[in-house]
Amino acid sequence: MATVARSHKSHTVIDASTTPVTVFTGFLGAGKTTIILGLLKQISSKYNVVLLKNEFGDAQTDSALARESHIQVTEMTNGCLCCVLVGQMKRALQEMKAKYNPDRIIIETSGSAFPAPIAWQIREMESDGFHLDSILTVIDCLNFCGYEDTSYTARMQAQYTDLILLNKWEQVSERQLDIVVDHVNELNTDTPKIRVDKDASIDPDVAFGIDTTLFKLSDNAFVGNERTAATTESVSGKLDHHSQEVDLIEIRRSWSGHDQTCLFSPDEFTSFLKSLPADDVYRVKGIVRLASLVDDEADSTSAVSTTKGHSHSPVSEGTLHIVNHAFGRYTFTPLAKPDITLAQVLVKVTIMGNGLGMHISAIKDGFRASDHDME
């Protein structure tokens, strides 16, 4: 089954003012709110996240818990975003952007929501300054085999997603977990699947692409500037493997400021990103110095495109771009006024995935990196 990332032609160049949207979906009781709360605890208080929560009834207990994490929460109750409230989501997102000026919006759908209509609505709002970063589906390993056969919604949620989060896996035996994974694979073989540890939630590096605010916060974007062993481990020449099955490679290359042959051709670098297997390479994010601005592969007349009115001829110092490659699709955001501290940066990227050891050679070639450049 094709994932969200591979089924839509979207913009590849987005403005710095664009708000990324991350969607969490999953069947009733899968643990979406718990995972989101754990994720929020790892994010800097300087990063302005707003949560749009869709739930039935008016108890709003989970929303009250979310507010304890010091984020703004907007509820959409007594209806589902994918059908009854389909027209209201656009208005809610626009109001949230105008009122809170968020760095990112997280949408937590109701347990009965189909992901596809929600993704379509967000993509229809690209010209309004929104960008669908990813759809993450939470699978309840304790109960999935019980409702998978009877719930069309549960099957659709497992099929239409960028990343599958295996939750409550500690509560089942090894054999039961294998059965759950087999059932999920029957629905969706290609989409990456990672286990979410009860006490660690999901690593923000995996859940979020990088945006202008996270870029400015740089290495201090996440609490304590640490990646715990329960989330993501760094590699230096070799790859470590852990329970979530997420490998990480960091590449740092400096630039003298004179040798233009070191600059990456936009076409060459885009071809490299397209060659990365989405099943193994979950995210590539960071900054890269390109020889010129990147052409938007979608409609260049849209308000989202930043290339309009710019010359694409090479410049002596190149052009720094924030690059986000997520689950098979990618975007570039040109830095109009990069900080002086970036004057000698050629590449500063993080790569996350599973089994990256098989792709080390291709990654090195794509970034023209040596072992010394990899952290």
Side-chain angles (χ1 to χ4, degrees):
M1 171 64 65
T3 65
V4 180
R6 288 162 249 178
S7 60
H8 177 84
K9 188 68 172 179
S10 192
H11 286 277
T12 56
V13 179
I14 59 176
D15 190 83
S17 63
T18 298
T19 302
V21 180
T22 302
V23 178
F24 279 84
T25 188
F27 203 62
L28 298 166
K32 299 184 294 294
T33 300
T34 301
I35 290 176
I36 291 172
L37 292 176
L39 174 64
L40 294 174
K41 290 177 182 178
Q42 302 175 69
I43 299 172
S44 168
S45 59
K46 297 178 181 179
Y47 192 57
N48 182 19
V49 177
V50 177
L51 174 64
L52 174 60
K53 187 170 176 62
N54 179 210
E55 57 187 350
F56 288 94
D58 56 5
Q60 303 172 356
T61 303
D62 290 341
S63 296
L65 289 172
R67 288 192 179 91
E68 291 297 312
S69 299
H70 308 292
I71 66 167
Q72 299 294 335
V73 181
T74 296
E75 297 101 351
M76 297 184 69
T77 58
N78 297 319
C80 183
L81 287 176
C82 70
C83 48
V84 177
L85 302 177
V86 66
Q88 297 182 33
M89 188 180 82
K90 178 177 181 178
R91 183 166 64 251
L93 290 176
Q94 290 172 331
E95 290 175 353
M96 292 165 74
K97 187 177 179 74
K99 184 175 181 180
Y100 301 118
N101 189 28
D103 297 316
R104 179 177 297 267
I105 293 175
I106 294 177
I107 296 178
E108 180 184 350
T109 71
S110 70
S112 60
F114 293 167
I118 296 171
W120 177 82
Q121 289 181 76
I122 298 170
R123 290 194 172 109
E124 287 293 299
M125 297 180 67
E126 284 187 334
S127 61
D128 295 320
F130 296 92
H131 171 72
L132 178 61
D133 182 39
S134 59
I135 291 184
L136 312 179
T137 295
V138 181
I139 296 292
D140 178 355
C141 293
L142 193 60
N143 299 299
F144 183 75
C145 292
Y147 55 66
E148 171 234 345
D149 289 334
T150 59
S151 173
Y152 178 72
T153 300
R155 294 196 295 272
M156 288 298 296
Q157 290 170 345
Q159 291 174 330
Y160 198 87
T161 183
D162 288 310
L163 181 66
I164 292 174
L165 307 178
L166 300 173
N167 197 28
K168 306 180 188 179
W169 64 272
E170 302 100 330
Q171 301 178 40
V172 300
S173 67
E174 192 93 15
R175 173 60 180 158
Q176 288 172 314
L177 180 60
D178 287 342
I179 293 173
V180 171
V181 173
D182 287 343
H183 279 239
V184 174
N185 280 333
E186 288 178 5
L187 297 168
N188 191 339
T189 303
D190 297 332
T191 297
K193 304 161 187 70
I194 63 174
R195 288 178 280 181
V196 179
D197 292 340
K198 178 179 63 176
D199 299 324
S201 187
I202 181 175
D203 188 348
D205 276 344
V206 178
F208 297 157
I210 193 168
D211 52 67
T212 52
T213 302
L214 283 179
F215 169 72
K216 291 175 183 176
L217 291 173
S218 189
D219 293 332
N220 295 317
F222 302 126
V223 175
N225 187 27
E226 295 179 352
R227 295 184 178 92
T228 65
T231 52
T232 307
E233 299 175 355
S234 84
V235 292
S236 179
K238 63 179 182 178
L239 295 166
D240 294 322
H241 199 67
H242 59 90
S243 63
Q244 278 199 341
E245 300 179 345
V246 177
D247 300 325
L248 182 145
I249 298 174
E250 294 181 338
I251 298 178
R252 305 287 185 266
R253 291 190 60 201
S254 59
W255 185 55
S256 66
H258 304 292
D259 187 0
Q260 296 182 36
T261 62
C262 292
L263 301 178
F264 294 90
S265 156
D267 290 341
E268 175 188 351
F269 191 73
T270 298
S271 295
F272 161 63
L273 292 179
K274 289 179 178 179
S275 73
L276 295 173
D279 302 345
D280 295 332
V281 181
Y282 304 163
R283 286 193 182 273
V284 178
K285 60 182 185 179
I287 52 176
V288 177
R289 190 179 296 272
L290 303 178
S292 63
L293 290 169
V294 181
D295 284 316
D296 192 346
E297 294 184 6
D299 182 7
S300 62
T301 64
S302 168
V304 179
S305 174
T306 60
T307 60
K308 186 177 180 181
H310 289 283
S311 169
H312 286 60
S313 59
V315 291
S316 59
E317 69 275 13
T319 304
L320 284 173
H321 287 73
I322 295 176
V323 59
N324 271 301
H325 176 280
F327 311 107
R329 67 181 177 275
Y330 55 88
T331 60
F332 293 93
T333 302
L335 293 177
K337 297 179 180 179
D339 190 273
I340 192 171
T341 58
L342 301 174
Q344 294 184 325
V345 171
L346 183 63
V347 175
K348 184 179 181 182
V349 298
T350 300
I351 305 162
M352 284 155 287
N354 183 30
L356 293 184
M358 298 184 295
H359 307 289
I360 285 289
S361 178
I363 290 171
K364 282 184 177 180
D365 290 344
F367 289 102
R368 305 175 198 158
S370 65
D371 290 338
H372 177 74
D373 299 322
M374 299 172 61
E375 299 178 6

